[in-house]
Amino acid sequence: MQNILSMSSGHATAHLQSTPNSALLLRPLATGRGLWRCNARFRTSRPFKQIVKVEAHSKDSQSLSRRQALLLGAGTLAASNFATPDIVHAETKAVTASGIKSAETVQLGQSGLQISPVGVGAWSWGDRTGYWGYGNEYQKDDNLEAYKAVVGNGISFIDTSEVYGFGLSEEFLQDFMKQTGTQPVIATKFAPLPWRIREQNVVEACKKSLKRLGISKLGLYMIHWPGFITNGWCNDAFVQGLADCQQQGLTQAVGVSNFNLGRVKTAQQILKDRGTSLASNQVQYSLLYRAPEKNGVKQACEEGGTSLIAYSPLAQGLLTGKFTESNLPKGPRGATINKDRVAEVQPLLGLMRDIGSAHGGKTPGQVAINWTICKGAVPIPGAKSARQAKEAAGLSTSQAGLRTTIHSSALLSCQALSVSVVT
């Protein structure tokens, strides 16, 4: 895979340090990963703080709307008579990508699972809630082309869930893998629906996901969100269920999603007691949503050997720069990404364009993804089309395969911005 914003020369990579005068000083860091290492912290002016607050609020609202949509359509999953694949007990063979050439891989937590530094989220593939516009703005064929671009450009990690499209995302993946003769490392998720209260429910759901995916073993299996209301007391049992899945050979690694500090530490201990480890915690994390840095989640993951997987690293498209006052997202996203927010984010996008231009014509979206990698996370941007998938892989539609290097120390002058920055 083409390294996103590769700025390395040997083992000297660039460190992006923000300074009060809005100049960006690139300094070398000793690292062996060959990716652009940065540690910029943007303290935003009031408008940006409002964006962060709105994003935090909208995340909760989106979670609730997804849950409501899930409850409305849960009968689809509950009533579906999916055949259960045979369990392969005590399978120890490692899950690896097939038919995909990745220039670089990283290990997920302490699991031994090797994945590309960037993954792709398949939430939009076959989405039937109307959130992403499937059936109107894009079709299954567009998702297939996105998949081909994903694996063709070295991305070997794809994230899905049993509730994405109420199972359709997983079914699409089976079709796409068969059509292309490839198999990336697949991560999918268990949904703690209100009637699920036992650890055995996790195992049963995992088997059904495997059937829809048409594979015998997952790379990563996660709890999608913590149980709440009717099953808020079942989270420990769900984590035990993850360990059961792993011990039965259904998945190589196990993880969680949207877990707070306390739940992360509890899950880490439960799995340690079961002789395994928590490979990942998938949370919202981007330049505009920095909560994991402040609420202790990121630190707990680092200290416990758990990888942070970042969903919405592009703030659902806001950080790509594609939205304007005359080009706003349709449907539910239009309620949160509106004219005011698009206007408020322009100073940050201007800075990101300057950085991208100085490094081979990279896009704001690629700068945003690379920032997330530099923070030690594995970003999983969504990709509905081949163009979006290529951009996630670090390729420009007009400069495919472009790789750039930068001198170990350089000073870039940037336009004055209406934001203050600190290291």
Side-chain angles (χ1 to χ4, degrees):
M1 186 184 74
Q2 298 290 340
N3 286 344
I4 296 176
L5 279 174
S6 178
M7 302 298 171
S8 64
S9 177
H11 293 293
T13 61
H15 177 205
L16 177 61
Q17 177 182 348
S18 300
T19 59
N21 63 0
S22 297
L24 299 174
L25 181 63
L26 291 166
R27 294 178 177 173
L29 282 180
T31 175
R33 285 199 51 191
L35 286 170
W36 181 30
R37 290 281 189 180
C38 56
N39 192 28
R41 291 174 177 262
F42 292 87
R43 175 184 292 165
T44 64
S45 60
R46 185 178 181 85
F48 282 127
K49 289 183 178 179
Q50 291 172 348
I51 289 176
V52 173
K53 290 178 181 178
V54 169
E55 286 296 312
H57 173 72
S58 64
K59 169 61 177 68
D60 294 337
S61 300
Q62 290 160 12
S63 295
L64 289 175
S65 65
R66 291 202 301 273
R67 288 168 182 163
Q68 291 167 354
L70 176 61
L71 293 176
L72 289 173
T76 305
L77 281 174
S80 297
N81 185 24
F82 296 115
T84 301
D86 295 333
I87 299 174
V88 183
H89 291 280
E91 183 181 350
T92 58
K93 184 178 179 180
V95 173
T96 57
S98 174
I100 305 169
K101 295 181 180 180
S102 296
E104 183 177 8
T105 60
V106 296
Q107 178 172 277
L108 199 65
Q110 304 172 68
S111 67
L113 183 67
Q114 296 292 319
I115 61 173
S116 51
V118 178
V120 161
W123 175 13
S124 64
W125 295 6
D127 175 58
R128 289 192 263 191
T129 66
Y131 191 81
W132 293 106
Y134 175 72
N136 295 316
E137 299 177 25
Y138 64 100
Q139 308 294 333
K140 183 178 180 179
D141 287 345
D142 297 303
N143 291 158
L144 173 58
E145 293 307 310
Y147 177 86
K148 290 178 179 178
V150 165
V151 298
N153 289 292
I155 295 179
S156 63
F157 181 56
I158 297 182
D159 171 85
T160 184
S161 169
E162 65 172 334
V163 299
Y164 293 165
F166 304 122
L168 203 56
S169 177
E170 291 178 330
E171 293 173 2
F172 276 16
L173 270 169
Q174 177 179 177
D175 290 345
F176 299 164
M177 288 187 287
K178 286 181 178 179
Q179 289 186 49
T180 60
T182 60
Q183 184 172 324
V185 176
I186 300 293
T188 193
K189 299 183 279 293
F190 162 81
L193 303 173
W195 55 86
R196 289 174 166 173
I197 60 174
R198 300 179 297 115
E199 61 186 86
Q200 182 59 26
N201 296 141
V202 182
V203 177
E204 293 166 353
C206 184
K207 295 175 186 177
K208 290 178 180 179
S209 283
L210 286 169
K211 182 64 177 180
R212 287 189 291 272
L213 288 161
I215 58 178
S216 61
K217 187 174 183 177
L218 294 164
L220 174 67
Y221 194 50
M222 297 169 279
I223 299 170
H224 202 153
W225 62 79
F228 65 104
I229 306 178
T230 61
N231 56 7
W233 50 276
C234 302
N235 288 304
D236 289 359
F238 294 153
V239 176
Q240 294 284 1
L242 290 178
D244 293 341
C245 290
Q246 190 177 42
Q247 290 181 354
Q248 291 183 25
L250 304 178
T251 184
Q252 179 170 336
V254 292
V256 294
S257 180
N258 297 306
F259 270 39
N260 63 21
L261 173 60
R263 290 191 178 110
V264 166
K265 290 187 174 181
T266 298
Q268 288 172 334
Q269 187 59 52
I270 290 173
L271 293 171
K272 181 179 180 181
D273 292 342
R274 290 289 300 270
T276 185
S277 63
L278 182 68
S280 63
N281 182 22
Q282 186 181 129
V283 296
Q284 182 179 343
Y285 186 44
S286 72
L287 266 168
L288 291 182
Y289 189 82
R290 311 283 287 277
E293 297 175 0
K294 300 177 181 179
N295 59 21
V297 167
K298 186 172 184 291
Q299 182 177 351
C301 288
E302 292 170 348
E303 293 175 349
T306 299
S307 293
L308 195 74
I309 298 177
Y311 70 77
S312 293
L314 301 176
Q316 299 198 0
L318 192 57
L319 287 172
T320 65
K322 67 180 180 181
F323 296 127
T324 65
E325 291 186 5
S326 59
N327 179 35
L328 296 171
K330 300 176 181 178
R333 278 195 301 164
T336 54
I337 302 178
N338 53 35
K339 290 182 179 180
D340 290 340
R341 289 182 195 112
V342 169
E344 289 168 351
V345 81
Q346 293 309 309
L348 178 58
L349 287 171
L351 174 60
M352 296 165 71
R353 289 189 180 97
D354 287 343
I355 294 171
S357 296
H359 302 308
K362 298 299 182 180
T363 68
Q366 290 169 332
V367 174
I369 291 172
N370 188 74
W371 178 91
T372 314
I373 296 173
C374 294
K375 288 293 187 176
V378 177
I380 50 168
K384 295 184 290 185
S385 65
R387 179 188 60 78
Q388 292 177 345
K390 289 177 181 178
E391 184 173 356
L395 301 175
S396 167
T397 54
S398 61
Q399 295 173 301
L402 177 65
R403 298 177 67 112
T404 59
T405 59
I406 190 169
H407 296 297
S408 60
S409 180
L411 183 64
L412 300 178
S413 297
C414 298
Q415 66 187 66
L417 302 175
S418 58
V419 294
S420 59
V421 291
V422 294
T423 57

